[in-house]
Amino acid sequence: MAEIKQIFEKEEYMDLILEADPDKEIVEKYIKDAEMYGLFENEKILAEIIITKVDNNICELKNIATKEDVRGNGYGKKLIQEVTELYKNKYKKMIVGTTQNNIPFYVKCGFDKYYKTEYNFFVDNYKEEIWDGNLHCIDMYYYYMNL
């Protein structure tokens, strides 16, 4: 039976975190003030999620990753569902920034309202080119859900 637990020793899971955000310097900037949760089964992590505070009304899903060998089993979606329940009494909305390829996943998870586009986000903020499959990532697309 899988269980969700808050993670305080975030650096222990840096390899998994970097699968969703490959620039360690960028991750280290947001991770220290963020809250992290993991979906565990038999003490082994299956997926992780990181949430940051934007302001008193808005939080951001900053990072989510599922271990490669268990992807496609709904663990990411389950983690989003559980964490949004935890945050609905603290914030009014949760945003997520993503690449074009992942918009359908987040829409299915409830992020069904367009928020904004940050043009050239990946070009301006990352030292190396960012690829999502065969898509060269340039712009960041933000969506949100009301909590």
Side-chain angles (χ1 to χ4, degrees):
M1 177 85 181
E3 65 176 328
I4 293 171
K5 296 190 280 192
Q6 188 167 0
I7 296 171
F8 297 98
E9 301 299 325
K10 301 167 194 149
E11 294 75 20
E12 277 185 42
Y13 302 97
M14 190 58 77
D15 288 347
L16 184 56
I17 294 166
L18 292 172
E19 287 186 34
D21 190 341
D23 192 313
K24 192 171 183 178
E25 282 182 36
I26 290 174
V27 169
E28 286 174 342
K29 285 179 186 170
Y30 66 75
I31 198 172
K32 59 182 173 249
D33 294 325
E35 292 184 341
M36 182 176 179
Y37 297 87
L39 182 63
F40 292 86
E41 193 167 70
N42 300 323
E43 300 302 314
K44 287 181 64 177
I45 194 161
L46 301 173
E48 62 78 19
I49 190 169
I50 297 173
I51 308 293
T52 61
K53 177 180 179 175
V54 175
D55 62 32
N56 288 335
N57 295 312
I58 301 171
C59 62
E60 181 175 354
L61 189 169
K62 200 73 171 172
N63 186 298
I64 185 167
T66 301
K67 297 275 285 191
E68 192 171 6
D69 60 336
V70 295
R71 287 185 188 147
N73 290 307
Y75 296 131
K77 187 174 183 179
K78 179 176 177 45
L79 205 45
I80 289 171
Q81 289 168 338
E82 295 288 330
V83 168
T84 53
E85 279 299 306
L86 290 173
Y87 282 82
K88 71 181 189 180
N89 293 324
K90 289 170 77 171
Y91 298 99
K92 292 182 178 162
K93 101 179 25 165
M94 183 181 287
I95 63 172
V96 64
T98 189
T99 63
Q100 204 169 356
N101 281 356
N102 287 315
I103 292 170
F105 168 75
Y106 288 110
V107 169
K108 279 188 213 163
C109 290
F111 293 89
D112 55 357
K113 296 163 189 69
Y114 173 78
Y115 190 64
K116 66 179 179 178
T117 301
E118 281 195 34
Y119 296 99
N120 295 315
F121 178 87
F122 293 102
V123 175
D124 294 343
N125 291 287
Y126 288 81
K127 294 175 189 139
E128 296 180 19
E129 288 185 347
I130 302 295
W131 290 84
D132 184 6
N134 60 359
L135 174 75
H136 181 211
C137 302
I138 296 172
D139 303 327
M140 175 87 84
Y141 302 93
Y142 285 88
Y143 283 76
Y144 74 94
M145 72 164 68
N146 290 316
L147 296 176

